[in-house]
Amino acid sequence: MLILFYAFSPSYVFAQTENDMALIPAGKLKINKGHGNKEIFVDKFFMDRFEVTQESYKKIIGANLSFFQNNKKPVEKVNWFEAMEYCLKIGKRLPNEWEWEWAARSGSTSKFYWGKEDPKLYSWFKKNSEKKTQPVGQKKPNSYGLFDMSGNVW
């Protein structure tokens, strides 16, 4: 059973389901490809709000080969085929390149979705991560309600 409700906040609006996914709205993604610009229409879709944790991955796949072992950290060292296998086993799919880009940008036209705000509030990177992955969902989400769309494991 799918239950939708809307959460409203001054910083973001997103739809949430019982399995912690966000409804990403349809829109036009502007792409600058070498010799010109193009627009790609992206239809609405659902996307997990958080990176897949090592705990979830191990429960479904039976193994965790991540370098930074911790059940609450994102699974890493997973190739596309292994990610696809996980998705199929839980009845989901990976976003395509344009869906991921649209979701990561969350409607922003700036270089990063947080605009001019402090990047430490939204992402993990070399200077604030101690050069290791961090538990998922510790930073602010983007305007679509998605966490860790820049940094950590991406």
Side-chain angles (χ1 to χ4, degrees), residues 25-145:
K28 287 184 182 176
L29 177 64
K30 294 181 182 184
I31 302 293
N32 183 353
K33 283 280 194 179
H35 300 292
N37 298 326
K38 69 178 188 176
E39 289 185 345
I40 297 171
F41 179 78
V42 178
D43 203 358
K44 66 183 177 181
F45 63 100
F46 282 95
M47 187 166 181
D48 284 354
R49 294 183 58 225
F50 301 95
E51 296 167 297
V52 175
T53 63
Q54 293 175 30
E55 179 177 41
S56 295
Y57 189 82
K58 186 174 182 179
K59 181 179 176 183
I60 301 301
I61 300 299
N64 176 17
L65 301 175
S66 297
F67 184 76
F68 300 107
Q69 296 275 319
N70 179 313
N71 280 341
K72 301 302 177 200
K73 289 184 178 185
V75 68
E76 25 140 331
K77 298 181 78 173
V78 174
N79 66 36
W80 183 87
F81 297 101
E82 293 163 332
M84 191 62 125
E85 177 186 9
Y86 173 84
C87 289
L88 290 172
K89 286 186 175 190
I90 63 169
K92 296 182 181 179
R93 67 174 179 87
L94 291 173
N96 67 38
E97 177 182 4
W98 306 124
E99 288 171 333
W100 192 94
E101 186 73 27
W102 178 249
R105 289 184 185 185
S106 65
S108 171
T109 56
S110 62
K111 184 175 181 180
F112 297 104
Y113 62 82
W114 54 82
K116 294 182 180 181
E117 290 190 57
D118 185 353
K120 289 183 227 143
L121 299 173
Y122 293 88
S123 66
W124 293 108
F125 48 91
K126 190 175 183 178
K127 292 182 180 179
N128 72 348
S129 67
E130 300 174 7
K131 298 182 183 179
K132 59 185 177 182
T133 59
Q134 302 297 319
V136 304
Q138 300 298 303
K139 299 293 183 176
K140 286 181 160 185
N142 70 13
S143 62
Y144 291 165

Side-chain angles (χ1 to χ4, degrees), residues 2-38:
L2 185 66
I3 301 170
L4 291 177
F5 67 93
Y6 290 89
F8 296 96
S9 161
S11 61
Y12 60 90
V13 177
F14 59 91
Q16 183 176 341
T17 67
E18 65 184 21
N19 56 357
D20 221 2
M21 296 181 84
L23 176 60
I24 309 303
K28 287 184 182 176
L29 177 64
K30 294 181 182 184
I31 302 293
N32 183 353
K33 283 280 194 179
H35 300 292
N37 298 326
K38 69 178 188 176

